Amino acid sequence: MTSSDRVTFRVWTLWVRVSVVLLSMTACSPVSTEATAEVRSEYTQDPPASPEMQREENLSPAEQQRWAATAGVTGGVVMRVEAVGGSQSGDRLAGYLIRTETKRPVSEEILEQLVALVRARDGFDDSVIKRCRPGLSVGFRLTRKGVDDTAGQEISELVIDFGCDKLAIADGAGKSAVQSYYFDPSHAAFIRLVKRALPDDDELGTLK
């Protein structure tokens, strides 16, 4: 091998070594900044809200109040009530006088139907405020789970007044004023509910 051949061979060998090093560096190079950002964002974004969460987030103030009054229901009592003056003594429910002799426990099926009606998105007209005489009325005292998830820690009082197609809601502790909502769109459904809840009440049988 001549001296010229030796030089050419050394240059070729050096070139091969440099190429190998460059290829190794390319294979081990970090992911681009843009790609890294895409991966990071995929794992740091909040998970999509469930349909139930989305419904609650989109509730109007009136709907939120009705949902809160029926949250975590564990049991209840149904009874006839009357709108009479405050001078008359006796136990009251959301401001209505209780007819004690009509009290009876509420079945789980009736409770589920009541909660569904109170929470129905199209069951109330929250754009109106009525002035009308009270009529036949039915009350529900609901026991609900408290903030510590313990059964029976909260009480909701609901009165269904068919004179005005009004639902009156109050908390059993008297911490808030009675709120009224008008269920004209679901009038027939509420009639069916109270007739099933108090099937022996002849007066309720006259409701249409």
Side-chain angles (χ1 to χ4, degrees), residues 96-112:
Y96 287 68
L97 186 67
I98 296 173
R99 288 172 51 178
T100 308
E101 74 281 2
T102 65
K103 282 185 178 181
R104 60 183 292 171
V106 184
S107 69
E108 184 175 346
E109 179 184 3
I110 296 297
L111 283 176
E112 291 176 354

Side-chain angles (χ1 to χ4, degrees), residues 81-84 91-98 134-135 137 159-161 166 168 178:
V81 296
E82 296 180 351
V84 296
D91 294 335
R92 291 182 178 266
L93 188 83
Y96 287 68
L97 186 67
I98 296 173
S137 302
V159 169
I160 302 167
D161 185 337
K166 177 179 72 175
V178 177

Side-chain angles (χ1 to χ4, degrees), residues 43-206:
Y43 288 95
T44 57
Q45 290 177 352
D46 293 332
S50 66
E52 185 75 10
M53 291 174 60
Q54 290 175 351
R55 284 197 296 270
E56 292 193 50
E57 289 173 357
N58 296 329
L59 296 178
S60 68
E63 290 170 331
Q64 290 175 9
Q65 292 166 356
R66 294 194 291 268
W67 274 61
T70 53
V73 174
T74 59
V77 178
V78 62
M79 65 208 78
R80 284 290 306 278
V81 296
E82 296 180 351
V84 296
S87 60
Q88 188 166 337
S89 62
D91 294 335
R92 291 182 178 266
L93 188 83
Y96 287 68
L97 186 67
I98 296 173
R99 288 172 51 178
T100 308
E101 74 281 2
T102 65
K103 282 185 178 181
R104 60 183 292 171
V106 184
S107 69
E108 184 175 346
E109 179 184 3
I110 296 297
L111 283 176
E112 291 176 354
Q113 294 171 1
L114 173 64
V115 171
L117 282 176
V118 173
R119 292 186 170 191
R121 299 297 300 269
D122 57 353
F124 293 82
D125 185 352
D126 293 320
S127 65
V128 300
I129 298 178
K130 295 183 181 181
R131 294 195 176 199
C132 50
R133 295 178 64 85
L136 292 179
S137 302
V138 176
F140 290 85
R141 176 176 281 125
L142 306 179
T143 55
R144 303 187 294 107
K145 292 180 180 179
V147 293
D148 58 353
D149 215 29
T150 302
Q153 293 298 303
E154 302 284 347
I155 299 292
S156 289
E157 299 178 351
L158 283 67
V159 169
I160 302 167
D161 185 337
F162 291 100
C164 291
D165 279 348
K166 177 179 72 175
L167 174 68
I169 295 180
D171 68 89
K175 297 178 182 178
S176 62
V178 177
Q179 303 294 326
S180 297
Y181 313 94
Y182 299 94
F183 56 83
D184 301 69
S186 52
H187 170 87
F190 273 104
I191 288 179
R192 290 192 296 269
L193 173 74
V194 299
K195 286 182 177 180
R196 286 193 291 264
L198 294 171
D200 300 326
D201 192 308
D202 294 335
E203 284 187 296
L204 295 181
T206 65

